[in-house]
Amino acid sequence: MYGWIWRHLPGNAWLKALISLILALAVVYVLFQYVFPWAEPLLPFNDVTVDNQ
Amino acid sequence: MRVVVRTVSELCVTAGTLIVLFVVYLLFWTGVRADGAMHDQIDDLHHTWARGSAPGADPGATPDPDTTADPGRTAVPQAPADPAPPAPYTAGRPFAIMYVPRLGFTWNKPVLQGTAADTLKKGLGHYPGTARLGGRGNFAVAGHRRTYGDPFKDFPQLRHGDAVVLTDGTTWFTYRIDKGPYKTVPTDVEVIDPVPRKSGYTGAGRYLTLTTCDPEWGHSHRLIVWAHLDSTQPVEAGKPAALRR
């Protein structure tokens, strides 16, 4: 999987490493901004009231 | 075969990384976001109060003549007798700041109207339908025990006699806790009744109820604390004794 991505990135090893780093940061950003806020209410930490559960 | 093993192990590493990132998000990032959001809410409140129209207060009256002219605003447990009925709180908007010295001398959180999940990310939430701050009945507030700034992390340390101080920009309300953390189940809506049966209060009064979850990282139970309004004073009189060191 990661090997496949690495092989398909353009440029030499340095450029590939740079693009990989940017891709990884983009993935982390999407996770923190969109995926985790969506997943978080599915866990119990939000239930602090006595009526609306 | 080798490709299969490699792909499976890569997927496992990816899943592990995802879980670690999610834990970082919960433990650290929600706290960073909540601290910023609470700070913004408190700034928002101070700006509104500085402009002289406290949210929920009579928009026509400026606080100064209102409080100085009103003999009801003295250091007795008596609600400010506003000339006009105050405007209802706006859902999702802050209207007060809470201070609990037991949770830390600098512990202060905005109180917002409503207990929606998004509202509780920005501060404590006032149960809609319960009494107004300082009003007759039960002023009930919910807060996160963990994640989103951990506002009520040390909730079990609250003791009989502890002060819970709130301000709405014109008045300081000092509540005193009567009953330490009481553990109940999430469906026990009686705890935010105007006179909660299990609190030991017998007659109508001006009460405060705080709720959070228990255990710390779970949601099987709730922790409840009850307090009664001990004193009020106008903001011009300075901070109440409970907040002075």
Side-chain angles (χ1 to χ4, degrees):
Chain A
M1 185 172 70
Y2 294 118
W4 184 87
I5 295 173
W6 183 261
R7 280 196 301 277
H8 284 76
L9 289 173
N12 61 14
W14 285 109
L15 188 62
K16 286 181 181 210
L18 184 69
I19 296 171
S20 308
L21 188 68
I22 292 168
L23 279 178
L25 288 177
V27 168
V28 169
Y29 174 81
V30 168
L31 285 174
F32 271 58
Q33 199 65 27
Y34 302 103
V35 180
F36 291 157
W38 162 83
E40 193 255 331
L42 308 175
L43 288 164
F45 313 126
N46 275 320
D47 305 344
V48 293
T49 59
V50 286
D51 53 352
N52 56 10
Q53 303 307 321
Chain B
M1 185 62 197
R2 172 177 284 207
V3 173
V4 172
V5 170
R6 188 168 58 208
T7 307
V8 168
S9 47
E10 282 181 352
L11 284 176
C12 288
V13 169
T14 308
T17 312
L18 261 183
I19 292 169
V20 169
L21 280 175
F22 190 48
V23 170
V24 169
Y25 169 81
L26 279 177
L27 296 190
F28 172 72
W29 192 242
T30 60
V32 173
R33 294 285 291 269
D35 284 345
M38 291 182 192
H39 196 80
D40 288 348
Q41 299 294 320
I42 288 181
D43 276 356
D44 199 15
L45 277 174
H46 282 307
H47 281 131
T48 315
W49 293 341
R51 281 203 311 270
S53 61
D58 182 12
T62 54
D64 274 13
D66 188 29
T67 46
T68 46
D70 187 352
R73 289 199 174 152
T74 51
V76 291
Q78 182 184 5
D82 284 321
Y89 300 134
T90 315
R93 299 282 305 148
F95 61 88
I97 303 175
M98 181 185 286
Y99 301 79
V100 183
R102 171 73 74 186
L103 299 181
F105 188 72
T106 56
W107 190 100
N108 63 91
K109 304 286 171 197
V111 183
L112 286 74
Q113 174 64 3
T115 54
D118 273 347
T119 306
L120 289 170
K121 290 176 182 176
K122 295 181 264 181
L124 310 173
H126 172 232
Y127 285 85
T130 63
R132 296 177 64 83
L133 174 57
R136 273 200 174 280
N138 193 351
F139 175 73
V141 173
H144 276 290
R145 178 88 175 270
R146 277 297 194 172
T147 71
Y148 289 101
D150 305 342
F152 280 157
K153 177 164 68 79
D154 297 325
F155 202 85
Q157 293 177 15
L158 293 172
R159 292 287 171 267
H160 172 86
D162 283 358
V164 178
V165 183
L166 291 111
T167 178
D168 63 359
T170 54
T171 312
W172 287 101
F173 300 88
T174 304
Y175 289 87
R176 291 276 169 193
I177 292 175
D178 290 298
K179 193 156 173 196
Y182 168 77
K183 193 172 177 172
T184 187
V185 291
T187 52
D188 188 8
V189 296
E190 270 190 355
V191 297
I192 58 169
D193 278 353
V195 182
R197 197 161 55 88
K198 291 166 190 139
S199 62
Y201 300 134
T202 48
R206 303 175 191 279
Y207 303 124
L208 167 105
T209 303
L210 304 178
T211 74
T212 193
C213 67
D214 192 73
E216 217 167 317
W217 293 101
H219 63 155
S220 60
H221 290 78
R222 298 289 181 270
L223 278 187
I224 314 295
V225 151
W226 285 295
H228 69 275
L229 186 59
D230 188 54
S231 65
T232 66
Q233 65 186 55
V235 286
E236 290 80 8
K239 284 189 174 186
L243 292 186
R244 293 198 204 113
R245 185 165 357 195

